[in-house]
Amino acid sequence: MNYDLSQEQQMLKDAAHRFLVKECPSTFVRQMAEEESGHNPELWKKMADLGWTGLIFPSEYEGSEASFLDLAVLLYEMGYVCLPGPFLATMEGGLTVLEAGNDFQKKDYLPKVASGEKLMTLAWTEQEGSYAIATRAEFQDTHYLLTGTKLFVPDAHLADTLICVARTKQDGAEEIGLFLVDGKALGVKIKVLPTLSGEKLCEVTFDQVHIPKENRLGRPGQVGAVLDKIFHMAAVAKCAEMCGGAQRVIELVMVQAKERVQFGHPIGSFQAVQHHCANILTFADTSRFMTFQAAWKISQGLDFEKEAAMCKAWVSESHRRLVALAHQVMGGMGFMEEHDLQLYFKRAKTAELAFGDADFHREQVAQKMGL
């Protein structure tokens, strides 16, 4: 592939960079981490007015029909400023509806997502922290009764609609289903969990929640393939955020390496610091190339699951090591709350685990290799 951005992608990147640097300074990131909502509706409306919430969706659903690579370019800039809020969770929910929904569901939900009116999230991870589905949806004539608890659901406290992954029965056989759940439905209990980075991950309890049968997403027997695709797309999206964060870390480190003087010389003139900086750049560039390659394959409609798993396995570890090396260059100042580097260190750890850590995705790669 050609790793250069197109003219349109470069324009999107430049415009997003200018907007986010102005609207999302590190003081705003700290403020949102402290607040329970972690969300600023005014900023969300501005992002929607720019067309970002509809970027990836077809024009028939009031989207811009941009590619997944375009979305990755935008997420890169969001990662650069550690943007808080429900953007990635809502895109994950919208893409799930796009992949699994029927015509009525797509027309009902996607224009509202594209306009920024509706926030969504995908409730997948079980109480044990695994993806082995234990939540159950029992069919009773005209509706389902949903029961179970999900953990680490991003921005569930803000979501108008949650898409819950649950085990159900179809013609007497066990299978996995997807269910559209009103975030304020009777029996839905949401608790925001304390997190390292201040990102809003929630515990969601479903207690005999009444779900109309028309709120089931996807045809029987096909949900597994949809979830596999969405999961790997979300992993690449998270990698794009990490790549943007890596660029900001490099900038912070280079200022320190050039301006801090020890023994009469800038610390960047010392070989040990130079090696750290070279390794940081190597991790960052490799991560960016792998991420954009995986995003390009998604955009082209090619098989991408193996590249997505390779990407997440590499970026998860290399980004954490990159930020750790940055702390070596920065010294104790980088650990101070007043310095921005600690924001990226915390994001690196949570992003490492989101949508599967490196070991999880190495196993995915091995399976794709037929092992």
Side-chain angles (χ1 to χ4, degrees):
M1 68 169 287
N2 182 355
Y3 287 99
D4 293 334
L5 299 180
S6 68
Q7 183 178 2
E8 291 77 13
Q9 288 163 349
Q10 189 62 53
M11 290 172 62
L12 171 65
K13 177 178 168 60
D14 293 343
H17 184 83
R18 289 193 297 271
F19 176 85
L20 290 169
V21 167
K22 177 184 176 184
E23 299 287 342
C24 184
S26 58
T27 50
F28 176 78
V29 178
R30 289 178 173 86
Q31 179 188 348
M32 290 297 103
E34 293 295 324
E35 292 185 3
E36 183 165 336
S37 74
H39 174 54
N40 184 301
E42 293 180 4
L43 177 58
W44 182 260
K45 185 177 185 311
K46 291 179 181 178
M47 291 165 55
D49 290 344
L50 288 169
W52 292 1
T53 50
L55 188 71
I56 196 70
F57 302 113
S59 58
E60 64 184 299
Y61 307 120
E62 302 182 16
S64 302
E65 293 201 344
S67 69
F68 193 86
L69 184 55
D70 297 328
L71 180 64
V73 169
L74 182 58
L75 288 166
Y76 180 97
E77 293 301 329
M78 291 178 174
Y80 180 89
V81 296
C82 289
L83 178 72
F87 184 82
L88 182 53
T90 298
M91 293 303 101
E92 188 183 3
L95 286 170
T96 305
V97 174
L98 184 64
E99 291 291 333
N102 57 37
D103 288 343
F104 176 80
Q105 290 165 336
K106 292 178 186 178
K107 290 176 182 175
D108 188 24
Y109 283 84
L110 294 182
K112 296 172 185 171
V113 173
S115 68
E117 177 186 348
K118 184 180 281 294
L119 305 182
M120 301 187 77
T121 192
L122 183 60
W124 190 342
T125 312
E126 296 289 337
Q127 261 186 311
E128 296 77 14
S130 76
Y131 298 108
I133 305 304
T135 301
R136 297 201 65 86
E138 300 291 345
F139 185 62
Q140 296 189 351
D141 298 327
T142 60
H143 62 274
Y144 291 89
L145 283 180
L146 186 63
T147 303
T149 300
K150 299 288 189 180
L151 282 185
F152 315 127
V153 184
D155 301 296
H157 64 307
L158 301 171
D160 302 291
T161 303
L162 300 95
I163 301 177
C164 182
V165 186
R167 191 173 294 279
T168 187
K169 283 187 176 180
Q170 180 74 26
D171 299 327
E174 290 269 344
E175 67 168 10
I176 303 301
L178 291 170
F179 300 89
L180 294 159
V181 185
D182 187 330
K184 294 181 173 56
L186 187 65
V188 176
K189 184 179 179 181
I190 298 173
K191 175 185 176 185
V192 179
L193 302 169
T195 62
L196 176 68
S197 64
E199 293 173 277
K200 308 309 177 188
L201 302 178
C202 302
E203 177 188 88
V204 183
T205 303
F206 302 96
D207 183 12
Q208 298 282 297
V209 180
H210 186 289
I211 309 293
K213 65 178 182 181
E214 56 268 23
N215 280 21
R216 182 170 179 177
L217 273 177
R219 287 179 288 181
Q222 295 185 340
V223 169
V226 169
L227 283 173
D228 189 57
K229 183 176 181 179
I230 294 297
F231 181 82
H232 285 92
M233 291 170 74
V236 175
K238 180 56 70 174
C239 288
E241 284 188 347
M242 284 190 273
C243 290
Q247 177 59 37
R248 181 58 183 148
V249 169
I250 289 171
E251 293 173 3
L252 292 171
V253 165
M254 292 307 293
V255 169
Q256 178 79 346
K258 291 178 179 177
E259 294 186 355
R260 183 183 175 192
V261 175
Q262 289 288 296
F263 310 112
H265 300 280
I267 63 171
S269 65
F270 302 134
Q271 190 175 53
V273 173
Q274 290 173 355
H275 285 185
H276 284 336
C277 292
N279 284 328
I280 289 170
L281 183 61
T282 302
F283 284 138
D285 278 0
T286 309
S287 297
R288 187 172 69 252
F289 292 147
M290 294 183 72
T291 298
F292 278 36
Q293 184 191 30
W296 174 78
K297 294 198 76 168
I298 296 171
S299 300
Q300 296 298 311
L302 303 173
D303 290 338
F304 69 92
E305 284 80 1
K306 184 172 73 176
E307 281 74 14
M310 291 165 57
C311 177
K312 187 62 166 64
W314 171 266
V315 179
S316 284
E317 284 191 346
S318 66
H319 188 58
R320 173 175 47 79
R321 294 171 67 185
L322 176 157
V323 182
L325 285 172
H327 276 294
Q328 293 293 314
V329 176
M330 196 67 66
M333 187 172 66
F335 289 95
M336 297 173 67
E337 285 292 323
E338 292 80 3
H339 199 281
D340 288 351
L341 184 59
Q342 53 87 16
L343 299 174
Y344 293 87
F345 178 83
K346 293 171 181 174
R347 285 290 184 108
K349 187 58 189 174
T350 55
E352 178 187 4
L353 302 175
F355 308 113
D357 63 5
D359 287 343
F360 177 90
H361 282 282
R362 286 194 193 94
E363 177 65 25
Q364 295 275 306
V365 175
Q367 290 179 14
K368 301 296 182 188
M369 295 171 69
L371 300 175

